[in-house]
Amino acid sequence: MVIHSPTQPRSPTSPTTARGGLVVGNYCHDVLIRDHHVTAHALGGAPSFISPVLHSLSLPFFLLSKVGSDFCYSSAITTTTLHPPIVVSTSQTTLFHAHFLSATTTLPPSGHPDRILKRVGSCDLITPFDLPSNSRFLFGLAVGVAGEILPETLQSMLDLCDVVFVDAQAIIRAFDPEDGTVSLVNLNETGFFHLLPRIAFLKCSAEEAIFIDIDEARKKCCVVVTRGRDGCEVFWKDGELKVPPFAADQVDPTGAGDSFLGGFAAGIVLGLGVWDAALLGNFFGSLAVAQVGPPKLDAKLFQEDNLHARWYNILVK
């Protein structure tokens, strides 16, 4: 889809006629480790951060996520999604160890400046046969974190959804066969590259952007680059824009990009212009980094100042 003007609403669709969304990606168990000491265990995976965002904005969606019989956060997600994950009795829940670095002189293979991420275990892949093929959706979010989304699965999502948002981590991550260390590969070397013209928005971090080739990708779809404390940038074929950040006291950076994408996608689907949608994404990203695990959200957040109240009036009332 082509963005004709980033200052205008992305879609004329009204929230009252929305058919809901399709969110695809597995839940995870996250273990946070600093200087070889475990500091926290948390629910992870993009759906755990995106679901609260969509629910806080009253945007309906269907969640497709797989976990193993060892999944230990069932009670934690009952209030954030109406769709529990598929439990695969023969598999384990995807498990990540995030090693945070007190000091480093070299960039870790993941491209992330302050952590080394390792996939210790992974649940089953999400295949096209898992998707609800008898339904159509207003929007789709491809948000895998452990390589669980296949190229053919994304292609099926593109067939089922009017607008599809893709997180780069779902399509450019690679995993060391020995210890599971996460690294990044060039997008044009993956099986997803040919699908770019059908993707509406591709979201990546500043570190991931190095592996995307923004100048080439922006010719095929809209690319959103998150830059943490510096906000984000949006690139499309005929232009670009910068969107300022929200200040936040960072406790744990895990999930910031997921929360950003949830807010950004919700804003686009509900009719905001790209700039406002990106600002909304920055807002949710700032909430995510201020605590460990998925953020607790409340619609009252949008009434704390005039800017939040404006969004509240547009999106919730």
Side-chain angles (χ1 to χ4, degrees):
M1 294 185 179
V2 178
I3 297 180
H4 299 287
S5 172
T7 59
Q8 296 300 316
R10 177 65 178 83
S11 169
T13 305
S14 165
T16 58
T17 61
R19 290 161 288 177
L22 173 64
V23 179
V24 179
N26 287 345
Y27 282 114
C28 306
H29 290 162
D30 283 349
V31 179
L32 281 56
I33 303 169
R34 185 174 295 277
D35 298 329
H36 308 292
H37 296 286
V38 174
T39 59
H41 294 261
L43 170 64
S48 66
F49 293 88
I50 289 175
S51 295
V53 172
L54 298 183
H55 274 292
S56 73
L57 297 173
S58 301
L59 195 60
F61 65 96
F62 177 85
L63 172 64
L64 178 55
S65 182
K66 293 183 178 181
V67 298
S69 57
D70 62 335
F71 185 60
C72 57
Y73 292 102
S74 296
S75 59
I77 64 174
T78 55
T79 58
T80 59
T81 176
L82 300 177
H83 307 280
I86 298 171
V87 178
V88 183
S89 61
T90 57
S91 181
Q92 64 177 328
T93 300
T94 299
L95 172 62
F96 279 100
H97 285 182
H99 297 263
F100 290 89
L101 312 176
S102 295
T104 182
T105 57
T106 60
L107 195 65
S110 65
H112 198 288
D114 62 357
R115 71 178 180 181
I116 294 175
L117 191 62
K118 295 186 177 184
R119 186 186 68 178
V120 180
S122 59
C123 197
D124 282 7
L125 300 173
I126 298 175
T127 74
F129 301 103
D130 295 315
L131 300 178
S133 58
N134 59 343
S135 302
R136 281 205 60 82
F137 299 91
L138 178 63
F139 67 99
L141 284 162
V143 290
V145 294
E148 67 267 32
I149 297 179
L150 301 169
E152 51 265 39
T153 306
L154 178 56
Q155 183 167 330
S156 294
M157 289 185 66
L158 292 164
D159 293 336
L160 292 173
C161 304
D162 293 348
V163 178
V164 174
F165 303 78
V166 176
D167 196 328
Q169 68 183 359
I171 59 178
I172 67 170
R173 277 186 172 181
F175 308 91
D176 186 278
E178 297 296 327
D179 66 359
T181 296
V182 177
S183 60
L184 304 175
V185 298
N186 292 323
L187 177 57
N188 61 10
E189 298 173 358
T190 72
F192 297 93
F193 183 73
H194 70 287
L195 297 174
L196 274 186
R198 297 187 61 194
I199 294 171
F201 295 92
L202 175 65
K203 192 278 292 183
C204 61
S205 66
E207 294 78 23
E208 292 166 339
I210 300 170
F211 298 84
I212 299 298
D213 189 350
I214 301 299
D215 288 339
E216 181 63 26
R218 69 192 294 181
K219 299 175 184 177
K220 306 176 186 300
C221 68
C222 184
V223 182
V224 184
V225 181
T226 58
R227 299 191 179 279
R229 294 182 177 88
D230 295 322
C232 68
E233 294 180 276
V234 184
F235 301 88
W236 65 102
K237 183 178 180 180
D238 301 317
E240 59 191 70
L241 56 84
K242 294 183 178 182
V243 183
F246 278 85
D249 294 325
Q250 180 170 299
V251 174
D252 175 18
T254 305
D258 301 324
S259 295
F260 168 89
L261 183 57
F264 175 76
I268 292 294
V269 170
L270 294 175
L272 291 184
V274 172
W275 194 92
D276 278 332
L279 192 62
L280 185 62
N282 285 345
F283 170 63
F284 280 109
S286 71
L287 296 179
V289 303
Q291 57 188 282
V292 175
K296 297 176 177 61
L297 304 176
D298 190 301
K300 293 180 181 179
L301 290 167
F302 297 93
Q303 303 174 62
E304 290 180 357
D305 59 37
N306 291 334
L307 179 60
H308 300 168
R310 179 165 68 109
W311 285 333
Y312 183 82
N313 289 331
I314 292 173
L315 298 177
V316 180
K317 289 187 175 179

